Amino acid sequence: MFENIKIWWHQGKQYIPDVTNAKLPGIFRGRPVITRSGVDEAALVELCPTGAITGNPVCIDLGKCTFCGECAFRFPEKISFTSDYKLSANVREHLVVKEGDDKGIVVEPSKVRKGVRSLFGQSLKLRQVSAGGDNSCELELNACNNVQFDMSRFGIDFVASPRHADGVVITGPITANMAGPLEICYNAVPDPKIVILVGTDAISGGIFADSPALDRDFLTKYPVDLYVPGNPAHPLTFINGVLDMLKKQ
């Protein structure tokens, strides 16, 4: 017992006490800020490999952004990335960051589907489906339940079977080979259920958006309750997004 106390004394707490106010190091690329400085907009737009940047006015779509940071390297007077990890939204258009707008991205309470908070506010079980993912977002989601982030303390867990789940968490661009299994998994989840997209690939297809190997029809048939951007998405981005959706602080 004394050895355990000694370890605790030297290392401190192994978990983040308050995940809503945790600080991330400056190396982390979170919400971008776009100034009104004049630059060559055509060159800036052309620079982005996924078409996340548009001009007149300059905007960045975080649902398409790979967070490579090249825009900030080439045009530092125009674009910079903050360490703000609260990037999740339940309205797709809210992921678009506009020039001169330094407001945070939030989950719109009025857009949360009826019954989500009352039914899942105390306990939410999720089945994660890698629909052609590269295992980066999958690794970060796995980290959500480690000793540092400890998502389970909020009653939020990943489960092995869709029969035990309240919704699906989708990573990857949804390849044609995974479109069928994804729908089978979704249909196996009892009603009512939610859908969460995690990562740039899941939200927009990312760098694979125009590939004939994708089949994203699933997203035209079923409502999406939460978009969690990132490449990959940070555990704090996912956890805070789900907490805001459930309004569970």
Side-chain angles (χ1 to χ4, degrees):
M1 181 180 70
F2 290 110
E3 283 300 315
N4 290 336
I5 293 175
K6 182 180 178 181
I7 292 172
W8 175 82
W9 177 263
H10 282 288
Q11 296 185 351
K13 293 178 180 177
Q14 296 299 296
Y15 69 99
I16 300 172
D18 184 0
V19 296
T20 64
N21 289 303
K23 301 297 182 183
L24 291 178
I27 194 173
F28 173 76
R29 293 193 192 111
R31 177 176 55 84
V33 173
I34 310 171
T35 70
R36 297 189 185 278
S37 299
V39 297
D40 186 344
E41 288 192 11
L44 176 59
V45 171
E46 181 67 24
L47 181 66
C48 185
T50 59
I53 302 177
T54 54
N56 194 31
V58 174
C59 298
I60 300 178
D61 184 348
L62 299 188
K64 296 180 179 180
C65 180
T66 63
F67 293 83
C68 67
E70 190 64 25
C71 55
F73 296 146
R74 291 278 300 276
F75 300 92
E77 72 280 18
K78 187 66 175 179
I79 298 173
S80 61
F81 284 86
T82 70
S83 59
D84 182 4
Y85 50 80
K86 295 181 179 180
L87 307 175
S88 300
N90 57 341
V91 178
R92 178 66 179 87
E93 290 74 18
H94 289 181
L95 295 182
V96 179
V97 177
K98 299 178 176 62
E99 180 180 291
D101 188 357
D102 195 16
K103 295 187 298 183
I105 299 170
V106 298
V107 173
E108 183 65 45
S110 63
K111 300 296 184 180
V112 177
R113 279 197 295 145
K114 183 179 179 181
V116 168
R117 290 177 171 173
S118 59
L119 290 172
F120 306 133
Q122 301 302 315
S123 176
L124 179 65
K125 309 302 177 186
L126 299 167
R127 177 67 171 95
Q128 194 270 319
V129 179
S130 178
D134 60 7
N135 212 35
S136 58
C137 281
E138 292 82 351
L139 283 170
E140 296 299 314
L141 290 175
N142 188 56
C144 290
N145 270 328
N146 66 19
V147 68
Q148 188 174 23
F149 300 103
D150 192 18
M151 185 175 68
S152 294
R153 64 181 134 157
F154 305 112
I156 306 168
D157 290 290
F158 291 110
V159 295
S161 171
R163 294 293 186 188
H164 303 157
D166 302 310
V168 294
V169 176
I170 303 171
T171 57
I174 312 183
T175 61
N177 287 341
M178 281 302 299
L182 172 61
E183 186 143 10
I184 290 172
C185 177
Y186 176 83
N187 290 333
V189 177
D191 290 324
K193 50 196 166 188
I194 64 175
V195 174
I196 301 175
L197 301 183
V198 176
T200 299
D201 290 348
I203 296 173
S204 67
I207 61 174
F208 310 104
D210 297 323
S211 171
L214 301 188
D215 181 357
R216 294 174 58 81
D217 285 347
F218 177 91
L219 301 179
T220 66
K221 293 187 286 186
Y222 307 108
V224 176
D225 295 279
L226 188 66
Y227 301 91
V228 184
N231 192 48
H234 195 280
L236 287 175
T237 305
F238 178 78
I239 294 172
N240 277 276
V242 175
L243 291 178
D244 285 345
M245 180 180 66
L246 301 178
K247 209 59 181 178
K248 188 178 177 64
Q249 304 296 333

